[in-house]
Amino acid sequence: MKKYFLVALTALALVSCEEEIVVNTPAFEAMNGYNFWKASSMQATVNNGDLVIVGAHESENITLYIDNYAFGEEYTLGISNVNVATFSKKIDDVVYNYSTSSSTGKGFIKLDPVEKQIPGAISGTFYAEMVPVTGSAVLPGQEVVNFNKGTFFQIPLKEAVAPAPEENPAP
């Protein structure tokens, strides 16, 4: 009886040691104040050296714009309209827009150095304190939207494709 009990205990121990590993690649996530925010869809596009990274979850979007990007660089937000973070949220047909554009909001976007990047993808961190865009509605009780501890990891890079020029038929 002892042998059967020992065999059953060993089998149970081996079966219960299974661990499921969850892969979180690619990822785009941050803390929105004290709440965890994670994009359910994301994309990164390069157009003439400019980088646009978008993370979306339900009715919310975070967009990071970097002019003439380079790996390993940090870009300050809130001092120009060139490097900008935006946040939009739609509630009951009302769209709320926040931004770090020229002299509003603050933060940074930091791209990982080339040694930490994988070919065809982009990774880095960000912090953005955004204020309502002029003329936009303000979320109730949220004069400022704050995304801190932001991370984007191995988001596939796509080159923007210019539309093909239209061919003019001969007269």
Side-chain angles (χ1 to χ4, degrees):
M1 184 71 166
K2 268 188 185 178
K3 283 184 181 179
Y4 293 118
F5 179 72
L6 188 56
V7 170
L9 185 61
T10 304
L12 180 64
L14 292 175
V15 171
S16 27
C17 289
E18 186 177 326
E19 183 177 325
E20 187 175 326
I21 297 175
V22 177
V23 177
N24 194 19
T25 304
F28 188 110
E29 54 196 34
M31 295 298 293
N32 181 358
Y34 294 105
N35 300 312
F36 181 70
W37 188 92
K38 181 177 179 179
S40 52
S41 66
M42 62 220 71
Q43 69 178 26
T45 307
V46 177
N47 187 7
N48 294 326
D50 299 338
L51 176 64
V52 179
I53 304 168
V54 180
H57 180 71
E58 296 175 355
S59 66
E60 300 178 337
N61 288 316
I62 298 174
T63 306
L64 307 175
Y65 300 91
I66 301 175
D67 182 56
N68 199 22
Y69 83 99
F71 294 124
E73 295 295 319
E74 183 172 315
Y75 302 89
T76 303
L77 302 174
I79 58 174
S80 72
N81 288 330
V82 178
N83 301 314
V84 177
T86 65
F87 172 73
S88 65
K89 181 173 186 166
K90 185 176 181 181
I91 302 173
D92 298 329
D93 295 328
V94 177
V95 179
Y96 302 90
N97 292 308
Y98 290 73
S99 177
T100 63
S101 59
S102 182
S103 71
T104 62
K106 61 183 176 182
F108 68 86
I109 304 168
K110 185 173 184 177
L111 300 178
D112 287 349
V114 70
E115 302 83 33
K116 289 188 172 184
Q117 302 286 352
I118 64 164
I122 190 82
S123 297
T125 57
F126 70 95
Y127 161 74
E129 185 175 289
M130 297 173 263
V131 297
V133 173
T134 304
S136 177
V138 177
L139 284 166
Q142 272 194 286
E143 291 293 323
V144 175
V145 173
N146 183 325
F147 284 94
N148 56 74
K149 299 179 185 176
T151 301
F152 47 95
F153 182 69
Q154 295 183 359
I155 298 176
L157 275 172
K158 297 178 184 176
E159 284 286 331
V161 179
E166 292 183 25
E167 292 184 28
N168 293 331

